[in-house]
Amino acid sequence: MQPFEHTPPEARELLKKPIRELGLKLAGSPVEKYVQQLYRELDAKGLERFRPACYLSDEWACPDREPIIGVPFYLADPNLQALERSLNDLEDEREILMYLRHEAGHAFNYAYELYNTPEWIELFGPFDRPYVDTYTPVPFSRRYVRHIAGWYAQKHPDEDFAETFAVWLTPRSNWRRKYAGWPALRKLEYVDKAAREMGRVEPKRSLAKAAAELPVDQMNERVEEFYQRTAPDEAQHIAGLVPDGELEDIFSTDLSPEVSRPAGEVLAPLSKTLTDKIAYWTGLRRSLAKKLVEQIVRRARELNLRADRTREEQQVVDVTVLATTLAMNYLQRGPFTER
């Protein structure tokens, strides 16, 4: 169950409303400028005939084999953004563009039906491979590009292509230099060649007829029901599993206010950055990384731990390493700590 009592009052008023009745539109919304930037990037790469439509939906997505991009509805309204930020951490500009480029990769694949070609299958694997939410990546594998957190290109051949396309599309990514000597470079060169060949070619699947899946005007559930349905309950994985002893080794309880400040005060402003980096480098699902960091901050406050002003930077590094180790322990063994 989501802790809605901690959400902003103006945003809380939306919780009881059906999403389809909120009057949300992508045009004129805060996210429209990012869609327009995506289109400019596609133009800059010479993709003259490829302009996939974007629409508001329940998540970032391209419907199966449909060249159209779904954008989360909460990005279209400032109050909904505040609600999302309080519950899940709102995507920033960099992340929004990363997701748009990724979804554009799916749409390009579907528009030109590249997934049916022998070269695509040879490079990325069979498109009809079973799609699973849980996968075990090989960290730092050079067969795949790095883009979205969690070694996401390793999840499925379709995701591998979308991630490769996103890296290729990103301005100033210097992909030839960055991936020189990597097996993943062949995939990037394939995308580059396909884009040059398809730049002035009409898509095989009509962009105008692409079918949206769950557009915002068909979302009958209330806002609170959406979050209750989509936000995983990570409490069972986190409760009591942050080791107090290690936190007490990093911080102190007996320092005076003149030479220290509360450890929770030091860590809280860094929570999103810590969450982002742990999820990116370990592959731990982001919702769980967020709860892990929140629990560390909470225990630091409950234990009245204090950070030495002369050693704050080192202590933040220590907490980062501790949280990363807990995350890797969870991925390898299940629990964060041994019971």
Side-chain angles (χ1 to χ4, degrees):
M1 185 68 66
Q2 282 296 323
F4 294 122
E5 67 273 12
H6 301 303
T7 57
E10 62 276 13
R12 206 177 308 157
E13 295 177 3
L14 301 175
L15 290 171
K16 299 296 184 182
K17 295 184 178 180
I19 296 170
R20 62 179 171 80
E21 294 181 7
L22 296 177
L24 300 173
K25 303 289 183 184
L26 193 147
S29 74
V31 76
E32 183 186 24
K33 64 181 179 180
Y34 302 116
V35 174
Q36 294 304 318
Q37 180 169 336
L38 171 69
Y39 292 160
R40 289 193 297 271
E41 291 175 4
L42 294 172
D43 277 337
K45 287 290 191 176
L47 295 173
E48 298 178 9
R49 305 290 184 178
F50 177 63
R51 196 68 73 254
C54 295
Y55 70 101
L56 297 176
S57 188
D58 63 336
E59 61 180 347
W60 293 105
C62 266
D64 185 29
R65 282 169 257 212
E66 295 288 347
I68 188 170
I69 298 172
V71 176
F73 70 92
Y74 53 77
L75 291 173
D77 178 83
N79 284 331
L80 288 171
Q81 287 184 356
L83 185 61
E84 175 70 16
R85 185 182 293 109
S86 68
L87 295 172
N88 291 323
D89 289 339
L90 185 72
E91 294 97 321
D92 58 23
E93 176 176 321
R94 180 187 65 87
E95 292 166 327
I96 290 171
L97 288 168
M98 287 176 69
Y99 286 123
L100 280 172
R101 292 167 186 142
H102 174 93
E103 300 303 340
H106 285 304
F108 184 74
N109 188 20
Y110 304 160
Y112 292 96
E113 298 183 348
L114 299 176
Y115 55 87
N116 281 330
T117 63
E119 188 175 8
W120 194 98
I121 295 169
E122 188 269 326
L123 281 172
F124 298 98
F127 181 83
D128 58 359
R129 179 182 297 171
Y131 198 98
V132 296
D133 288 328
T134 302
Y135 63 106
T136 304
V138 178
F140 304 105
S141 171
R142 294 196 164 196
R143 294 177 55 217
Y144 304 90
V145 299
R146 293 295 314 279
H147 183 64
I148 290 177
W151 321 98
Y152 200 67
Q154 300 185 38
K155 187 172 186 177
H156 187 272
D158 193 21
E159 304 297 354
D160 189 5
F161 178 83
E163 287 287 84
T164 305
F165 182 94
V167 168
W168 169 84
L169 181 63
T170 302
R172 299 175 297 282
S173 66
N174 296 315
W175 57 268
R176 289 190 186 278
R177 177 185 57 79
K178 181 176 180 179
Y179 290 96
W182 291 38
L185 183 62
R186 283 188 62 209
K187 299 175 181 178
L188 285 158
E189 291 172 336
Y190 168 82
V191 170
D192 190 58
K193 182 185 71 164
R196 281 186 276 108
E197 291 175 350
M198 305 299 175
R200 297 184 178 181
V201 176
E202 287 291 339
K204 291 185 177 181
R205 295 184 66 87
S206 171
L207 301 183
K209 296 181 179 179
E213 184 176 58
L214 196 60
V216 70
D217 57 5
Q218 295 179 17
M219 296 179 66
N220 295 319
E221 62 186 344
R222 299 192 303 274
V223 174
E224 66 177 352
E225 292 173 333
F226 166 79
Y227 281 107
Q228 289 166 354
R229 173 177 64 84
T230 60
D233 181 6
E234 304 289 15
Q236 59 180 318
H237 302 285
I238 296 297
L241 293 183
V242 174
D244 291 351
E246 279 72 6
L247 286 178
E248 290 169 335
D249 285 343
I250 295 172
F251 298 107
S252 303
T253 57
D254 56 0
L255 292 175
S256 69
E258 289 75 19
V259 298
S260 67
R261 60 178 178 141
E265 180 181 303
V266 174
L267 296 175
L270 301 172
S271 293
K272 184 179 187 303
T273 299
L274 285 171
T275 298
D276 290 343
K277 297 306 179 184
I278 291 168
Y280 185 82
W281 289 109
T282 68
L284 186 70
R285 63 181 177 271
R286 196 181 189 290
S287 58
L288 189 51
K290 183 175 188 291
K291 290 298 183 183
L292 171 62
V293 172
E294 287 175 349
Q295 179 71 357
I296 288 174
V297 174
R298 183 179 303 114
R299 289 304 295 156
R301 286 170 170 159
E302 292 171 349
L303 294 169
N304 295 315
L305 298 179
R306 302 192 67 84
D308 187 329
R309 291 182 184 272
T310 66
R311 298 183 58 250
E312 278 188 12
E313 184 175 326
Q314 179 59 53
Q315 289 172 318
V316 168
V317 171
D318 288 345
V319 169
T320 303
V321 174
L322 171 62
T324 303
T325 303
L326 290 169
M328 292 305 300
N329 200 41
Y330 177 88
L331 290 170
Q332 295 296 320
R333 302 177 58 189
F336 279 100
T337 57
E338 186 173 2
R339 295 179 183 273

